Amino acid sequence: MGTITVTIDGQQVEVDQQATLLDAANKVDIEIPTLCYHPDLTLHGSCRICVVEDAESGNLLASCATPVTDGMKIKTITDKVIEARKMNLELLLSDHPNDCMTCEADGACDLQELVYEYDVSEPSFGLMEEGKFEVKNENPFIEFDSNKCILCGKCVRVDNEVQCSGAIDFIERGFSSKVAVPFDQDLGADFSSCVFCGQCVEMCPTGALTYKPAKGQGREYELEKVETTCPYCGVGCQIELQVKDNKIVQVGSIYDEDHPNPVGETCVKGRFAYDFVDHPERLTKPLIKKDGEFEEVSWDEALDYTAQKLGKIKEEDGGEAIAGLTSARCSNEENYIFQKFMRGALGTNSVDHCARL
Amino acid sequence: MAGLAASFGSGAMTNSIGEVEKADAIFVTGSNTTEAHPVIGSMIKKAARNGANLVVADPREIELSKEADLAVQQKPGTDIALLNGLMHVIIKEGLHDEEYIKNRTEGFEAVKETLEEYTPEKVEEITGVKAEDIVELAKLYASADTAAIYYSMGMTQHKSGTDNVLTVANLAMLTGNVGKEGGGVNPLRGQNNVQGACDLGGLATVYPGYQAVEDPEAKAKFEKAWGVDELNPNNGLTVVEMVNAAGEGDVKGLYVLGENPMISDPDQHHVEEALKATEFLIVQDIFLTETAELADVVFPAACFAEKDGTFTNSERRVQRINKAVEAPGEAKADWKVFCELAKRLGFEMDYDSEAEIMDEIVEVTPIYGGISYDRIANEELQWPCPDKDHPGTKFLHEGEFAHGKGKFHVTKHIAPIESADDEYPYIMMTGRMLYHFHGGSMTRRSAAVDAYESDAYVEINCDDAVKLDIEDGDRVKVTSRRGEVETYARVVDIVQEGEIFMPFHYAESPANRLTNGDELDPKAKIPELKVTAVKVEKV
Amino acid sequence: MDQSIYRSHILICGGTGCVSSGCKEVRSSLEEELAERDLVNEIKVIETGCHGFCEKGPLMIVYPEGVFYCKVQPEDMEEVVEEHILKGKVVERLLYTDPTTGENIPSYQEIDFYKKQQRTALINCGYIDPEEIKEYIATGGYEAIGKALTEMTPQEVIDEVKESGLRGRGGGGFPTGLKWQFASDAEGDKKYVICNADEGDPGAFMDRSILEGDPHVLIEGMILAAYAVGADEGYVYVRAEYPLAIKRLRVALEQAEENGLLGENLFGTDFSFKLRIKEGAGAFVCGEETALMASIEGERGMPRPRPPFPAEKGLWGKPTNINNVETYANVPAIIKEGAEAYKQVGTEGSTGTKVFALTGKINNTGLAEVPMGITMREIIYDIGGGINEGKEFKAVQIGGPSGGCLPEDKLDLTIDYDSLLEVGAMMGSGGLVVMDEDTCMVDVARFFLDFTQSESCGKCTPCRIGTKQMLDILERITVGEGQEGDIELLERLAENIKSTSLCGLGQTAPNPVLSTLRYFRDEYEAHIYEQTCPAGACEELLGAYVIDGEACVGCTVCTEACPVDAIAGEAKEEHLIDEDACIACGACVDKCPVDAITQ
């Protein structure tokens, strides 16, 4: 494929023919703000925040949606561009609740960030006084507040193009347009094909889609983020545990084309079934059964007792009288050490696990 | 596993997950992918929407069936017949890859002969799948340039599980689809680290890296590496054998690590008796599971979020887990407990970190030879990765199979152990559903998930429901030769008449109280969880 | 086909306008009368498409004399048959009366409404039976496609269309030949042609009239386009609210297929073409070509960013040519008569004719096809018969919700694509809404914004929210709550919506506001700063109603007329209006026998 040279803010950039203005700008680290653009989703071109100016015609072009043409000269920061971005932000803000103080997305909201950056401190059209739409939150996973939705359509696209659930789409027209499940019900309603993978929440640039279990559990900037591998099925999705005060408060997506889940995919278990980790029923001390009842003991007591018992069986009945079920839930390192222990210390090859179940 | 190893020389997913989008045809059988491996399920849907032929063979009308170009519902336990029927058609239509068969495989002639009797008409009698659908399905799969097969426990949890897998392998080799990007035979692993547990010696017959315990050379290698005078030269017992041996008093000490056989193993009464009969039962887990209740000693373990380490996923990719939170109370990473015990038993195992363990693994496990924490921090590595410069292997058997030539195996339809009769007129399948996982110890304790799907259930065909006077949501009792379970009825049209489906995640209505653990698949020692004769009554 | 020779043909207009004014009943009555007199074998009744003069419907023309009757009723038929058919006497009272001279005019060619028209696209509308392909063929129909397929290469067809200067009749006026060239040049194993018959501008119905009156001309135009660009499949996207158009088009498609004019190997060549109808659900935005294609594909009708243009990546991602009904309807004439002949009509930059839909405060509403370059004055006064009730002309909205309002000093503008753009309007689909002195221009802008806002697909920010904000401001102004700065804010918003909206619907949505601001800024200012509506149309700005005590005779009629009991007073005594309760409905004013109530 041939390449094309365009000039962006005075810099010449050589890009491939299919590239957009946004691609070209990114190539030379010129930042253009976007709300509806996502590299893993089809082009939508709805937010109109990424506009830039064609130096020759003076026209504004949506950089995410405009293919480069040879010799094009683009300016990404002009009065006209700033005015247009600012106006569109003002418009979005006029149709958005003014509740950043209590909004779950505070600190993780692209709209908030841009409104701050473009100093939309006195929006020309006032602020939304009361919500147009009912908040949907009957299911235990995802709260959907359409009032905060800016209709960027990322949720709709990730749902239809990546998750392929077809659970949500746009309904209504004009100012009443919104994203909804069939018959405008809750995501968990009977007619909904939502499977609660949470990818829409990850994509949402505002607080329209939020995780219910994470509500009030911490702000984006308070969370420590740890990348890890999902503990459920064998796909091995890479996920991000978001932790506050030694507690996992939500599970985020990681986008990396080399991962088994390149577009941040995960399922409802990977996304929501994490609170077993700090469940009150977690075992916290070794237990020994004495007279049919468990009793909490120290590690030393439990280990000594166990070693003595195993040693005795090995001595009296041989290692083959001992068997171990290792675990498909434990790590490679633990499986290795367990079988080494069983084989090396106890002399048995009876090490197996539930691969077959 | 045993099946694929016999056919190809290696028992793992031959190709990578990301290759789903490169297949021209995808054949899903014995895998309810969108519920058990949802992320792959979505990728398959996406591939189908982008034009790949999607064909599904499953006794239930699963979500992928609705997305498929053709979906058939074979009777449970008739997979070999169906697959042989497909191969019969493929050969008859000349859609097989003669060049590939000639150059890369052996044993085809014998299989070809066996296939002759599997005419679509005969297969229709056995499987209940219409002859014309068998022809159509065969064409959809075999006419594609690159075709992939995805399967899971629906294939393996049968008396004929190993033969089922051999037959799948036959089909893939017949069409030249092994050793090719986007194709292959892809068993989907049910749990996060089944692959790693297998890879690293968590099997009664092999040391890490599938080095046979009965191979003196391998034994000598590990004796040297571990500083042991004499390792046991004999194969050990597999899961179900262990439990049986415990019941018979042959196994006196049983160490159960992060498993809950009371829920996940067949024939719960039998498991309970066996565990009770064990002289000394150690359970190491994060919760006091149904199995732990029976233990003599319980060690509190750290969970995945509380320790470092690696998991190996279904596509042989070694990936990190990283500690995010502190373990509660005195709970410890499992490996530390084994080291402590070993020390007390006079066997020195001393490591400072998981990374150090990995360094030892790499030394003794050739397929992991090039793996290190430093490398996987930046690179995606799939085994075989024999040395530090090796980029890992995206798909297996390119050019040559692990053991030279791919082996065709003659397989024949074997009837399941149990069949419907007057007393037990329904065939029960067990399996997974989206919201819960395995024995349920994690998902049942996750508030949101359990709030959404809190009740156990059994799926009953709507016509059967009418006959049994059962309505959606009624309490029903399901009884097999081994026990009875009460649960809620879900009246559906996705199971066929005469068949029911029960997820096995619910301790209060344990499906495995009903299943049969007596007669195992002779090679892989897998119980026939997918075919149990039962009766169903309204409570 | 009926081969009998009739001594007379009676054409009854069967367009949707005349259907709603009762032409079906007229036809039944006529047929009954003819049957009673045993005339069915002598007189043929033909239901045609629209004649355009809907204001006067139901319409009827009696041939061979060509006598034009208007506003005919079923009960008139006896007289028509008795007098005209049997005795040869024209029924004077049913003739059209010229409003200025007061004369009855028997022949439609002599009527002003028709005199200045020049018909190409509508040439057969009203004169042939649209459900009978042979009538179309008899007028020279399908000659063009025969000529093209047997004598011309696809490129020659494109060149002829280019040479003709034909421009898109649906909106922007893009040169049709060039559009075809793009689709022809695009690489693809499969190409489509689409007809945009999703006519949505308020008041515009020229596409419907062609579909109802002469569906074969569209089919022929589309076959020509398909041949030219290399397509073998086409869609007519027509709104489901046009049941009669769909029915006639369906009949026409069947007949074209039966006659080998659609299907495989047309005229023995290797060119094949399949044409089908896709019914739209009546979303205005589906007139936008990318939204229209999304709708055909089964998706929600939402525009997609362009480029890629449909010519390159259109329906199902394949190269696609889209034109509207009127554009395609011009093509057979170009091929048949040649570009040279076609170019003789119109102006240099805008050749041919354009159909306008005349509505509003005008005497003759209806469809008129006129040569490009005609003045607005000719259309409004000569064809349209001037303003209703002798009121003053104030403005004309041209081009629908995307167009603009032009004031009196633009009446002598010659109409073509470019002149209209210069003055802040556009050709659009050719809707003309005429307004008189009683029309408030702020309210007009509000009306159009209300329309575009509710028809916005909701996808892009400026159109979804920007038009809503404009509407809110306009509403505020019309109820007397306008503020200083509103006009400037409207202008900023308009500029932003024009320059950043995703599709043409959004980009042109502010035009009614911009053009009214350009020509009638003083009206906005009067609303905002003086709290008055110069046209006296904005009710909230009218003063309260008061009763002149001296004039009031105490008849109590107003008390009874008031729907909210806001008027009190004993009989024969002076009455009083409670200003707070009064809703300013004006009911009392109308009833008062002595005109004692004023504002």
Side-chain angles (χ1 to χ4, degrees), chain B residues 35-258:
Chain B
E35 301 221 29
H37 299 88
V39 168
I40 297 179
S42 296
M43 290 176 179
I44 291 175
K45 277 178 156 182
K46 189 174 167 184
R49 289 176 190 188
N50 286 337
N53 292 343
L54 174 62
V55 288
V56 176
D58 198 288
R60 290 199 296 158
E61 191 193 6
I62 57 174
E63 193 180 329
L64 284 181
S65 306
K66 292 167 190 135
E67 201 82 27
D69 294 281
L70 178 64
V72 299
Q73 287 176 264
Q74 76 274 36
K75 290 178 193 157
T78 63
D79 303 289
I80 294 175
L82 179 65
L83 295 166
N84 280 350
L86 297 178
M87 287 189 274
H88 175 99
V89 175
I90 289 168
I91 293 172
K92 207 167 145 198
E93 299 274 336
L95 294 170
H96 55 303
D97 187 340
E98 282 183 41
E99 193 78 352
Y100 182 94
I101 296 167
K102 196 175 115 208
N103 296 333
R104 298 206 44 193
T105 68
E106 57 197 29
F108 174 61
E109 284 309 316
V111 169
K112 191 176 168 190
E113 210 170 291
T114 320
L115 292 176
E116 271 167 29
E117 61 178 288
Y118 286 90
T119 61
E121 293 69 29
K122 182 186 163 182
V123 173
E124 175 170 346
E125 271 173 41
I126 302 172
T127 62
V129 178
K130 280 196 218 121
E132 67 243 41
D133 284 348
I134 295 168
V135 174
E136 175 70 14
L137 202 162
K139 287 184 188 165
L140 282 168
Y141 170 78
S143 61
D145 285 340
T146 303
I149 303 174
Y150 287 83
Y151 72 87
S152 193
M153 257 71 97
M155 263 301 121
T156 55
Q157 289 177 347
H158 289 279
K159 178 182 154 196
S160 60
T162 300
D163 280 359
N164 283 356
V165 174
L166 290 173
T167 317
V168 169
N170 286 349
L171 173 63
M173 288 190 290
L174 182 72
T175 48
N177 274 309
V178 187
K180 193 175 189 181
E181 188 179 27
V185 175
N186 300 293
L188 301 176
R189 298 305 202 171
Q191 300 188 60
N192 57 336
N193 203 29
V194 177
Q195 191 64 51
C198 293
D199 294 346
L200 295 166
L203 295 170
T205 54
V206 291
Y207 292 117
Y210 306 99
Q211 303 173 74
V213 298
E214 293 190 328
D215 172 6
E217 258 180 58
K219 178 169 161 274
K221 172 180 165 181
F222 280 94
E223 282 166 352
K224 185 163 171 246
W226 293 347
V228 182
D229 293 341
E230 176 77 40
L231 285 170
N232 189 322
N234 304 319
N235 280 341
L237 303 172
T238 64
V239 181
V240 181
E241 288 172 330
M242 257 179 223
V243 173
N244 291 343
E248 284 152 22
D250 294 337
V251 163
K252 296 198 155 56
L254 185 62
Y255 199 145
V256 178
L257 173 61

Side-chain angles (χ1 to χ4, degrees), chain A residues 35-312:
Chain A
L35 286 171
C36 69
Y37 173 78
H38 194 284
D40 295 316
L41 305 175
T42 57
L43 187 59
H44 197 56
S46 70
C47 74
R48 316 313 275 183
I49 295 296
C50 72
V51 289
V52 294
E53 189 174 333
D54 178 2
E56 305 217 322
S57 66
N59 286 344
L60 293 177
L61 305 169
S63 62
C64 72
T66 310
V68 290
T69 52
D70 212 10
M72 215 173 191
K73 291 190 178 62
I74 293 299
K75 293 180 181 167
T76 70
I77 301 179
T78 65
D79 289 348
K80 204 166 166 182
V81 167
I82 303 291
E83 161 72 12
R85 288 183 188 162
K86 207 167 160 167
M87 174 66 92
N88 283 332
L89 286 169
E90 283 183 46
L91 289 173
L92 287 172
L93 201 57
S94 74
D95 187 30
H96 192 91
N98 185 27
D99 68 351
C100 293
M101 303 282 261
T102 52
C103 178
E104 260 323 292
D106 173 43
C109 172
D110 296 348
L111 179 63
Q112 187 188 49
E113 217 166 273
L114 286 175
V115 161
Y116 179 77
E117 187 185 329
Y118 283 82
D119 189 25
V120 188
S121 46
E122 284 175 54
S124 312
F125 314 105
L127 297 160
M128 185 189 237
E129 275 162 20
E130 55 189 67
K132 292 192 279 190
F133 305 115
E134 183 194 351
V135 177
K136 309 272 188 211
N137 60 0
E138 286 155 41
N139 71 82
F141 304 107
I142 295 174
E143 178 164 305
F144 191 3
D145 182 352
S146 297
N147 298 302
K148 294 181 181 173
C149 174
I150 58 169
L151 277 92
C152 71
K154 282 190 201 170
C155 55
V156 172
R157 284 175 284 155
V158 79
D159 174 60
N160 288 284
E161 296 167 13
V162 177
Q163 180 59 33
C164 300
S165 284
I168 49 174
D169 208 335
F170 300 99
I171 64 164
E172 302 292 342
R173 297 211 159 262
F175 196 60
S176 309
S177 301
K178 64 187 286 200
V179 171
V181 301
F183 311 111
D184 198 14
Q185 293 179 332
D186 183 74
L187 283 166
D190 285 348
F191 286 111
S192 168
S193 56
C194 174
V195 289
F196 299 105
C197 67
Q199 289 176 75
C200 57
V201 181
E202 290 299 307
M203 288 278 177
C204 182
T206 70
L209 285 158
T210 52
Y211 295 124
K212 260 178 95 175
K215 206 170 182 175
Q217 298 288 305
R219 296 288 195 200
E220 166 80 8
Y221 41 83
E222 301 173 303
L223 304 179
E224 186 197 337
K225 293 170 181 173
V226 180
E227 290 192 14
T228 197
T229 304
C230 174
Y232 288 100
C233 78
V235 174
C237 292
Q238 297 300 291
I239 56 174
E240 184 179 79
L241 301 181
Q242 303 183 351
V243 177
K244 186 187 169 193
D245 300 337
N246 201 41
K247 183 175 155 68
I248 302 170
V249 300
Q250 66 185 26
V251 173
S253 279
I254 303 168
Y255 302 87
D256 183 334
E257 59 180 2
D258 292 326
H259 284 169
N261 54 332
V263 195
E265 300 99 321
T266 185
C267 73
V268 63
K269 296 183 287 287
R271 186 73 72 192
F272 291 103
Y274 54 78
D275 42 344
F276 73 89
V277 172
D278 57 359
H279 194 278
E281 285 168 22
R282 277 293 296 273
L283 293 168
T284 57
K285 289 198 76 152
L287 307 171
I288 292 179
K289 198 176 267 169
K290 295 179 180 169
D291 303 325
E293 293 292 320
F294 282 120
E295 197 173 285
E296 289 190 352
V297 297
S298 72
W299 271 104
D300 276 337
E301 184 182 344
L303 289 165
D304 289 344
Y305 174 66
T306 305
Q308 177 239 320
K309 280 284 203 182
L310 288 174
K312 188 167 157 260

